[in-house]
């Protein structure tokens, strides 16, 4: 990877950092601690994120002209720039996945069609663009919470080279811009009911696709025998034990009527980890 110009974490003025994780083009089959379960769990997010990031951008764009605060307008522009970079780097992994004969394109096409051509299109038709904004704000809370957990417990430490750097960089920037969409929602659609509906939809969508796509990869992988699956389970189980409890308590904070993402913080942690890249 070319050494990036690492700008400091600033929630009030996020920076667009154009990375070049060249190592993503040639990853080993099981790039996460030689563990098939966690690798394919991560592969599911490499499929989910690129189109998901584009959905985030489409969700916030209809409201850009309605934002009165100039600072927030600038933060939205940076948010869009960061999400574009995230999608590009995660999509870069697709070539490495394809070379092992895994049905990456079939899985991605299924996800794109069912999520964005059917479910989100129907939701937008029935409830208008504000529901997409609400869903995006909830998903941003999830990604920022997961990012902070990942950095706090160094969950990417066993990932291969540039994959580790990708996961750390993405986590840092999710923390940096975590309040942007929420602040847009508070300005143009400050409804607690809308926020909760968006959270419920986001929760079902995110985890349904994450689990479904992970097991699709596992079942389609000819090298994941039952013996291999059992061998890899202890590491994967320990990984989930570390993650699930703080994720549960972190997401519960979203239910507070006076919640704001800045109440959680994590900016100093993101700054510290970003500087290590």
């Amino acid at each position: 990877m070319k050494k990036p110009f690492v700008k400091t974490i600033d929630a009030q003025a996020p920076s667009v950092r154009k990375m070049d994780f060249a190592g993503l083009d040639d990853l080993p089959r099981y790039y996460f601690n030689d563990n098939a379960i966690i690798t394919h769990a991560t592969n599911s997010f490499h499929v989910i994120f690129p189109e998901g990031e584009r959905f985030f951008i489409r969700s916030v764009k209809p409201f850009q002209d309605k934002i009165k605060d100039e600072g927030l307008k600038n933060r939205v522009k940076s948010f869009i720039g960061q999400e574009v970079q995230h999608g590009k780097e995660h999509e870069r992994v697709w070539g490495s996945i394809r070379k092992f004969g895994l049905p990456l394109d079939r899985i991605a096409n299924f996800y794109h069609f069912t999520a964005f051509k059917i479910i989100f299109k129907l939701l937008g038709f029935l409830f208008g663009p504000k529901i997409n904004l609400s869903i995006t704000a909830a998903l941003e809370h999830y990604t920022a919470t997961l990012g902070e957990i990942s950095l706090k417990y160094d969950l990417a430490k066993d990932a291969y080279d540039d994959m580790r750097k990708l996961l750390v960089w993405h986590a840092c920037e999710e923390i940096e811009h975590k309040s942007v969409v929420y602040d847009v929602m508070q300005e143009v659609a400050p409804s607690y009911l809308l926020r909760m509906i968006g959270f419920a939809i986001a929760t079902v969508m995110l985890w349904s696709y994450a689990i479904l796509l992970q097991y699709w990869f596992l079942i389609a992988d000819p090298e994941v025998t039952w013996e291999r699956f059992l061998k890899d389970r202890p590491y994967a189980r320990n990984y989930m034990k570390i993650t699930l409890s703080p994720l549960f308590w972190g997401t519960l904070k979203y239910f507070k009527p006076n919640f704001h993402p800045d109440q959680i913080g994590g900016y100093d942690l993101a700054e510290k980890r970003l500087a290590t890249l």
Side-chain angles (χ1 to χ4, degrees), residues 17-142:
R17 304 169 182 86
K18 295 185 178 180
M19 314 299 272
D20 182 18
F21 297 109
L24 300 179
D25 297 327
D26 189 26
L27 293 167
R29 189 183 196 99
Y30 304 122
Y31 53 75
F32 214 114
N33 197 46
D34 194 35
N35 187 284
I37 298 174
I38 298 299
T39 294
H40 286 316
T42 310
N43 283 342
S44 75
F45 283 102
H46 291 315
V47 172
I48 289 169
F49 280 142
E51 193 59 37
E53 310 284 17
R54 289 187 277 270
F55 170 74
F56 292 174
I57 294 169
R58 292 195 301 271
S59 297
V60 79
K61 273 191 171 182
F63 302 98
Q64 279 184 285
D65 294 338
K66 298 179 182 180
I67 300 170
K68 298 176 181 179
D69 182 84
E70 288 299 321
L72 181 55
K73 282 185 179 180
N74 291 329
R75 288 164 61 208
V76 168
K77 291 177 184 176
S78 296
F79 165 80
I80 291 172
Q82 286 189 345
E83 297 295 44
V84 168
Q85 295 305 313
H86 296 171
K88 286 170 62 177
E89 293 299 326
H90 281 281
E91 210 160 44
R92 192 170 185 170
V93 181
W94 289 20
S96 287
I97 299 173
R98 286 189 185 105
K99 76 180 182 181
F100 297 114
L102 296 168
L104 181 282
D105 294 289
R106 202 177 335 141
I107 292 172
N109 289 338
F110 166 82
Y111 164 63
H112 293 172
F113 181 76
T114 57
F116 301 100
K117 299 297 184 182
I118 298 178
I119 299 173
F120 284 127
K121 202 165 188 178
L122 179 61
L123 288 170
F125 175 77
L126 292 174
F127 303 108
K130 288 181 180 179
I131 192 66
N132 291 339
L133 187 68
S134 177
I135 293 167
T136 298
L139 289 170
E140 283 293 316
H141 178 61
Y142 268 117

Side-chain angles (χ1 to χ4, degrees), residues 129-179:
K130 288 181 180 179
I131 192 66
N132 291 339
L133 187 68
S134 177
I135 293 167
T136 298
L139 289 170
E140 283 293 316
H141 178 61
Y142 268 117
T143 55
T145 303
L146 285 168
E148 187 171 358
I149 294 167
S150 176
L151 298 182
K152 182 177 179 180
Y153 296 100
D154 199 14
L155 294 181
K157 69 181 188 316
D158 294 330
Y160 179 83
D161 197 25
D162 272 3
M163 177 58 68
R164 178 187 62 79
K165 295 175 183 177
L166 165 65
L167 296 175
V168 170
W169 161 71
H170 193 169
C172 291
E173 292 198 343
E174 287 301 323
I175 292 170
E176 183 178 37
H177 72 226
K178 65 181 176 178
S179 64

Side-chain angles (χ1 to χ4, degrees), residues 3-4 6-9 17 168-169 172 268-277:
K3 185 68 176 176
V6 181
K7 299 174 184 176
T8 58
I9 294 292
R17 304 169 182 86
V168 170
W169 161 71
C172 291
D268 291 341
L269 177 61
E271 172 71 22
K272 181 179 178 181
R273 292 302 306 275
L274 186 66
T276 66
L277 295 181

Side-chain angles (χ1 to χ4, degrees), residues 13 17-19 37 39-40 45-46 58 92 170 179-180 184 193 197 205-206 213 227 230 235 240 242 252 258 261:
R17 304 169 182 86
K18 295 185 178 180
M19 314 299 272
I37 298 174
T39 294
H40 286 316
F45 283 102
H46 291 315
R58 292 195 301 271
R92 192 170 185 170
H170 193 169
S179 64
V180 174
V184 173
L193 177 60
I197 292 172
M205 293 282 289
L206 175 62
L213 301 191
E227 290 75 20
L230 292 177
Y235 178 88
M240 294 307 295
I242 295 171
L252 273 187
N258 63 343

